[in-house]
Amino acid sequence: MLELTGLSAGYGRTTVVHDVDLGVADGTLTAVLGHNGAGKTTLLRAVLGLLPVQSGRVVLAGEDVTTRPPHQRVRRGVAYVPQGQQSFGQLSARENLQVVADAHGRDGRRRTDEALDLFPALRDLLGRQAGLLSGGQRQQLAIARALVTGPRLLVLDEPAEGIQPNVVAEIYGAISTLLAGGGLSVLLVEQHLGFAVEHAAQYAVLATGRVVHRGAGGGPDVVPEVRAALAL
């Protein structure tokens, strides 16, 4: 679904991400792990076309999109949920979803129902102003809104950041359900290892913008190995 080859990116003359090779296979989750300042968000911004690539390639579903603008990547099935539980705060939760659903017609309405099935607690909050929701509720809303677009690749930047554990469990339960259903690939940036490592087909650890360790996920026995890599 996604293949990064020799990807370097940064800001101005400063290179933040160096020569990264990374892939997300169809229907799987790839996790990018690392401490604050490791270059994780910069990597995502390059993947999404929000930041120019200095060198290397970004291939999406077999097509080289390295120089394509963000809206063209969205049209090819990429949805992004940035860090920080972002929503249209003055709009209701229903309006947040409807803004996206209206652009997708009947499919958008169907996907809205499917997204609310994944996050049933949102159904009772649809009339509430999004800015008055808790952080966890806003994160669920942000992910639901992304799913309404019908993505093939869902890009999540630290979805568990600052959210209470029971809501984190609900969010990761929804992601597991989506992966089990097939047809969706996930690129996940996280600092919390448990879900990321246990559910990832593969993971990569970033430090100072470089991949310092990589491996296959799939179980809790991988966590000590990843912790050791993060300590490098």
Side-chain angles (χ1 to χ4, degrees):
M1 181 62 206
L2 176 71
E3 195 68 34
L4 309 180
T5 307
L7 184 70
S8 295
Y11 303 90
R13 296 182 179 180
T14 302
T15 301
V16 176
V17 172
H18 304 264
D19 197 28
V20 170
D21 294 329
L22 188 70
V24 184
D26 289 343
T28 70
L29 184 149
T30 292
V32 178
L33 309 166
H35 298 298
N36 287 334
K40 304 185 303 295
T41 296
T42 299
L43 177 66
L44 292 191
R45 289 175 60 82
V47 169
L48 296 159
L50 298 170
L51 193 65
V53 171
Q54 295 175 343
S55 62
R57 299 173 70 215
V58 179
V59 176
L60 180 64
E63 180 180 358
D64 190 334
V65 297
T66 306
T67 60
R68 301 274 186 173
H71 71 273
Q72 292 189 9
R73 304 187 197 202
V74 170
R75 288 177 185 168
R76 285 161 176 78
V78 178
Y80 176 43
V81 181
Q83 188 177 10
Q85 305 103 45
Q86 296 188 12
S87 63
F88 301 111
Q90 299 303 312
L91 301 181
S92 69
R94 177 181 289 106
E95 290 167 334
N96 267 266
L97 295 171
Q98 190 170 353
V99 163
V100 181
D102 285 349
H104 294 271
R106 183 178 300 175
D107 286 340
R109 292 188 291 274
R110 172 181 56 79
R111 291 174 194 144
T112 298
D113 286 336
E114 292 172 351
L116 291 173
D117 287 341
L118 285 170
F119 300 113
L122 288 179
R123 289 193 183 276
D124 294 332
L125 302 169
L126 290 176
R128 186 173 300 180
Q129 189 173 315
L132 300 179
L133 299 177
S134 70
Q137 291 162 349
R138 288 197 305 273
Q139 187 68 290
Q140 290 177 322
L141 179 61
I143 296 172
R145 192 173 62 225
L147 293 173
V148 172
T149 67
R152 300 171 63 191
L153 175 66
L154 180 63
V155 180
L156 300 170
D157 191 355
E158 300 204 23
E161 178 75 16
I163 297 176
Q164 60 194 45
N166 64 311
V167 179
V168 171
E170 292 173 5
I171 289 171
Y172 281 143
I175 295 170
S176 296
T177 298
L178 291 166
L179 289 168
L184 179 69
S185 305
V186 178
L187 177 58
L188 171 68
V189 158
E190 252 309 357
Q191 290 193 63
H192 303 284
L193 303 185
F195 177 90
V197 173
E198 292 183 27
H199 291 78
Q202 64 172 326
Y203 67 87
V205 176
L206 280 189
T208 60
R210 302 179 189 275
V211 175
V212 296
H213 182 72
R214 66 174 75 239
D221 55 313
V222 182
V223 172
E225 178 182 329
V226 177
R227 289 193 189 282
L230 287 168
L232 292 175

